[in-house]
Amino acid sequence: MSSASAPTPQARGPASEGKPGLVASGSASRRRWRPPSLSGKTASRHAFIWPALLVVLFLSVFPLVSSAYLSLSKLRFTAEGIQITFLGTNHYESLLFGSQATHYLGVLKSPTPLGWVVFGIVVALVAWGYVRAIRGGIGVLGLIGRAILGLFIIGLAWLMVQAIFSEGGRPGTMLVTVIYVGVGVTIQYCLGLGLAMLATQRLPGRRFFRVVFLLPMMITPVGVAYLFRMLADTSKGPLVPVFAAVGLGDWTWGNDPWLARIMVIIADIWQWTPFFFIVLLAALESQDMEVVEAATVDGANRRQVFRSITFWAILPVSVTVILIRTIEAFKIIDLPNVFTRGGPGTATESLTLQAFFDWRALNLGRSAAIGYTLLVIVTIFAVSYVRLARRQPEPQKQSGEEARA
């Protein structure tokens, strides 16, 4: 009975061979673990990838670390060589609270009644978004992040109303950069989307205009700046007869701060609208036309189709292209440098151009500090924008009845 009730090791062996985690014999349990050997294919893959990866990491990390230390120091070129003196946060304090505050932030005055109304609207929108986040069951970390973002938006709005909606105030380089980005990217997206929708219609000559719309993007930013500088010249430019006919023969665009900023924004819009056009055109042509045709058959007009179907179909592409273009727009330097030299005064000077002027004057520490403040602003915007975009509903294919509703 003992032999029948207790199976022998030979009987257990075959049954346990096919099961993972079971050891067939006692000698196998005493085997030492050995690292997996690199085959020839795996070794060659690592040999090709790691050198390139290390070079990219070095070129990316080293400038960040060195410029971070440089923003906290003062670098001087002497007869003995380079002398670096650690100053701490002096450059940042100078930009935000010291002698460079009027250049960086602007001249801040008490807001007008319209400024208070604008600021109140911004505060109300931020509070409304925070209440919605609380009701939506956001975690503690999410609420802390939204609180920091809300304070950042309120602080930026307060600077805006003090510099723009006030008597005697003027925006500094940081606010001018924000204006360039906000106004420019918004108009570029709207124009690019409108041109892309026109190019998808069955209109005569649409292939020709698809090529023509891309021409501004093929010109270098310096070329665009010189082109608009020539067009805006009321004394020697090709539009002199037009300016003389409308009474602007003696007018100089560069003498008025806001007109100079508008000219820079117009040039930037002309150059970068084709970028939105080509990307959104590809998104529009790749959407499912069966849903659009079904909605049209059911009686939905073009506005209803766009609002309920097309907009959601191109939303992922729109989110991505806006993020890419916004990050690039924060680095604007060619247009204000060539077109107006940052003038009149510092009216059209961007953060990147201010950093370039400091670098050219060998004030490398303050130039690095300006660059890092720009990095913080872009990072806050990008992270907030991506998190907001992730909370948007997924694009849904709707029927014609839903589109007409």
Side-chain angles (χ1 to χ4, degrees):
M1 293 184 61
S2 61
S3 61
S5 60
T8 61
Q10 290 79 4
R12 289 197 306 265
S16 60
E17 287 178 356
K19 297 181 180 180
L22 297 180
V23 181
S25 62
S27 60
S29 62
R30 292 190 297 272
R31 293 177 182 174
R32 296 180 179 179
W33 179 84
R34 296 180 180 179
S37 60
L38 294 177
S39 62
K41 186 177 181 181
T42 305
S44 62
R45 182 166 62 244
H46 285 281
F48 280 104
I49 291 178
W50 275 106
L53 183 61
L54 291 176
V55 171
V56 172
L57 289 177
F58 176 76
L59 295 178
S60 301
V61 175
F62 176 74
L64 286 175
V65 176
S66 60
S67 60
Y69 179 76
L70 193 60
S71 68
L72 302 174
S73 309
K74 181 178 181 180
L75 186 145
R76 291 188 301 174
F77 295 94
T78 62
E80 292 78 14
I82 298 176
Q83 180 181 358
I84 300 178
T85 306
F86 185 78
L87 300 178
T89 59
N90 287 4
H91 290 307
Y92 295 97
E93 293 174 2
S94 174
L95 291 172
L96 298 176
F97 312 107
S99 60
Q100 293 295 315
T102 56
H103 190 185
Y104 183 79
L105 298 177
V107 177
L108 307 179
K109 300 292 184 179
S110 179
T112 60
L114 178 60
W116 283 109
V117 171
V118 173
F119 181 70
I121 293 174
V122 173
V123 173
L125 290 175
V126 171
W128 175 71
Y130 198 74
V131 171
R132 283 194 58 186
I134 295 176
R135 292 180 177 178
I138 303 297
V140 177
L141 294 179
L143 292 177
I144 294 175
R146 281 166 174 77
I148 296 174
L149 175 62
L151 293 176
F152 177 80
I153 295 175
I154 292 174
L156 184 61
W158 179 241
L159 292 176
M160 280 284 189
V161 298
Q162 284 184 300
I164 299 175
F165 299 96
S166 63
E167 295 292 339
R170 64 173 177 83
T173 55
M174 186 191 72
L175 298 181
V176 169
T177 305
V178 173
I179 293 172
Y180 286 159
V181 174
V183 177
V185 174
T186 301
I187 298 178
Q188 289 164 23
Y189 176 80
C190 295
L191 288 178
L193 179 58
L195 294 176
M197 295 189 68
L198 284 176
T200 57
Q201 307 300 318
R202 296 181 179 178
L203 300 176
R206 61 174 182 170
R207 293 183 179 179
F208 170 76
F209 286 105
R210 286 186 179 188
V211 177
V212 171
F213 290 156
L214 295 178
L215 292 180
M217 195 173 60
M218 302 178 185
I219 306 175
T220 61
V222 175
V224 174
Y226 276 112
L227 172 64
F228 274 83
R229 184 177 178 179
M230 178 182 61
L231 293 176
D233 193 343
T234 57
S235 60
K236 295 178 293 185
L239 300 180
V240 169
V242 178
F243 290 136
V246 297
L248 296 177
D250 298 329
W251 183 266
T252 303
W253 298 96
N255 288 342
D256 186 88
W258 280 107
L259 286 179
R261 296 181 188 118
I262 290 173
M263 289 300 297
V264 173
I265 293 174
I266 291 175
D268 188 58
I269 291 172
W270 184 81
Q271 181 185 12
W272 287 105
T273 296
F275 174 68
F276 285 94
F277 164 74
I278 191 64
V279 176
L280 295 175
L281 177 62
L284 288 172
E285 292 189 337
S286 63
Q287 67 173 330
D288 189 359
M289 297 304 299
E290 294 182 358
V291 182
V292 177
E293 294 173 357
T296 305
V297 170
D298 288 341
N301 56 36
R302 292 185 177 181
R303 181 180 60 83
Q304 293 170 332
V305 170
F306 175 80
R307 183 188 62 187
S308 302
I309 299 176
T310 305
F311 175 78
W312 298 106
I314 66 174
L315 181 60
V317 177
S318 299
V319 169
T320 304
V321 72
I322 289 175
L323 178 62
I324 295 173
R325 176 65 193 116
T326 302
I327 295 174
E328 181 67 24
F330 270 106
K331 299 181 291 184
I332 182 172
I333 182 175
D334 305 85
L335 291 176
N337 184 31
V338 176
F339 188 35
T340 62
R341 300 294 182 184
T346 59
T348 58
E349 196 172 312
S350 63
L351 282 177
T352 312
L353 186 56
Q354 182 186 4
F356 169 71
F357 286 156
D358 283 335
W359 172 83
R360 191 171 59 181
L362 298 182
N363 196 341
L364 303 183
R366 192 167 67 196
S367 177
I370 295 172
Y372 257 85
T373 58
L374 179 60
L375 175 63
V376 171
I377 294 173
V378 173
T379 302
I380 292 176
F381 167 79
V383 173
S384 305
Y385 178 79
V386 171
R387 291 182 64 88
L388 179 64
R390 286 180 178 178
R391 293 182 58 84
Q392 297 301 319
E394 293 288 336
Q396 298 178 355
K397 293 183 180 180
Q398 301 180 356
S399 65
E401 293 294 335
E402 293 173 338
R404 282 195 301 129

